[in-house]
Amino acid sequence: MSEKNREGKRTARERMLAERADDEARGRRRKKLIIGGVALAVIAAAVVTGVVVQDQRSTPETPTAAPAGTIGDKNLVVPVGSDNAPSVLTVYEDPRCPACGIFEREFSPTISQLEDAGKIFTNYHIVSFIDRAVPGKGSKYAANALGCAQDAGHFRDYHDVLYRNQPDETNDAFGNKATLINLAKQVDGLVTPAFEACVNDLKFSDWVSAVQQDFDKSTFKSTPTVLLNGQPIYPKFNNEEITPANLVKWVDAANQGKQLGTPGTHGQSPAPTSTASEANNPSPNAS
């Protein structure tokens, strides 16, 4: 083999080795970049998780103040109707939740009629998680205002007013306390200096946080969650779509042969005569 050929092969081999070294170097750099990116993502996720966990840890387990007439464990439930009604309707909803607004605007008249007839005892859990995902404070502020209305004995009417006037989910109108007070003027006798101070001072903010914490620990993950005697009925029950007529039918079937309760007072949330709220319901925290 000529010297020229040997030199050519040596040059080609050296070039191949050099290219391989370059490829390996690029691979090491790429690996470092990938590892670095994953590390940054993990750090970012940890920061976000830390904020959420810390927020939940700082939430009081038991509210320092709860609205008058609230019931259940730690007084987290707003009752409407008569507690000796044969059936319990449990509703979890967020004031900013669009689906809750649709549900309330369609079913509120029927639910009120069932309450007033002594057929159901409605237990409301006013949650406030939408503020976490959509910027604003409307869920928490409106939940506090609902607590203030309960404290004044006008929960049901004010609750219905808020849902009839619910803004778009991305519009934080309920984050304006003046808006909440102005809407309360639609309820006779609700707006008083005490109510305005309650709304403006966020008197029941700890209670709002405790209700949300209870929801976080439950098996329920969306709103509205609607139960009849502990059985989910929204959006379907026994393969039937929920409608106002079907809700009446389901309640009447559940109440068959049972004595009806004492009719509730329209627009009020009478304090129960016992602590038997949701006695027919399994605990949402049960596994």
Side-chain angles (χ1 to χ4, degrees):
M1 181 181 292
S2 68
E3 186 65 27
K4 183 177 181 180
N5 287 339
R6 280 197 297 271
E7 182 63 28
K9 288 185 177 181
R10 185 163 48 248
T11 301
R13 185 168 57 254
E14 289 172 352
R15 186 167 55 251
M16 181 182 68
L17 291 173
E19 289 174 354
R20 181 182 298 172
D22 288 341
D23 288 342
E24 290 175 352
R26 281 194 295 270
R28 286 193 296 271
R29 286 196 298 271
R30 189 181 304 113
K31 186 176 181 180
K32 287 180 180 180
L33 288 172
I34 292 172
I35 293 173
V38 170
L40 287 174
V42 169
I43 291 171
V47 170
V48 173
T49 302
V51 170
V52 173
V53 170
Q54 181 59 38
D55 179 64
Q56 291 176 353
R57 286 175 179 172
S58 64
T59 302
E61 286 282 352
T62 302
T64 56
T70 49
I71 58 175
D73 185 31
K74 299 169 187 165
N75 295 319
L76 304 182
V77 180
V78 177
V80 181
S82 177
D83 71 332
N84 62 355
S87 286
V88 177
L89 186 73
T90 304
V91 181
Y92 290 79
E93 56 190 12
D94 186 309
R96 291 181 75 181
C97 162
C100 299
I102 294 171
F103 171 79
E104 285 296 343
R105 288 188 289 275
E106 182 176 3
F107 288 90
S108 179
T110 301
I111 291 173
S112 294
Q113 290 168 8
L114 291 168
E115 290 165 352
D116 292 342
K119 293 183 176 182
I120 61 171
F121 180 45
T122 306
N123 288 189
Y124 285 97
H125 300 248
I126 307 301
V127 301
S128 52
F129 65 90
I130 289 181
D131 285 350
R132 296 175 181 171
V134 183
K137 299 178 179 179
S139 291
K140 295 182 181 67
Y141 283 14
N144 175 76
L146 284 165
C148 297
Q150 164 65 19
D151 201 54
H154 292 281
F155 172 84
R156 189 172 86 172
D157 281 350
Y158 185 58
H159 165 272
D160 293 350
V161 165
L162 286 191
Y163 277 109
R164 284 198 301 269
N165 293 274
Q166 186 189 54
D168 183 80
E169 184 181 16
T170 58
N171 178 353
D172 194 37
F174 285 172
N176 185 329
K177 297 171 185 175
T179 297
L180 295 169
I181 292 172
N182 190 53
L183 287 171
K185 295 175 182 177
Q186 297 182 33
V187 180
D188 290 342
L190 176 55
V191 179
T192 63
F195 174 79
E196 293 189 47
C198 182
V199 173
N200 287 323
D201 297 342
L202 297 174
K203 178 179 179 179
F204 297 117
S205 60
D206 283 353
W207 176 78
V208 170
S209 296
V211 175
Q212 178 57 48
Q213 185 182 64
D214 184 65
F215 183 70
D216 288 336
K217 292 178 178 179
S218 76
T219 58
F220 307 129
K221 303 303 176 187
S222 63
T223 55
T225 290
V226 185
L227 312 174
L228 177 61
N229 297 326
Q231 297 299 313
I233 61 172
Y234 179 90
K236 287 184 176 182
F237 177 61
N238 288 339
N239 295 319
E240 289 186 297
E241 296 283 347
I242 187 171
T243 64
N246 278 343
L247 178 57
V248 172
K249 181 180 72 172
W250 299 338
V251 168
D252 286 343
N255 291 349
Q256 189 171 6
K258 299 177 183 178
Q259 183 176 351
L260 298 184
T262 306
T265 303
H266 176 70
Q268 302 294 318
S269 305
T273 56
S274 73
T275 57
S277 67
E278 298 182 327
N280 295 328
N281 292 356
S283 169
N285 298 326
S287 57

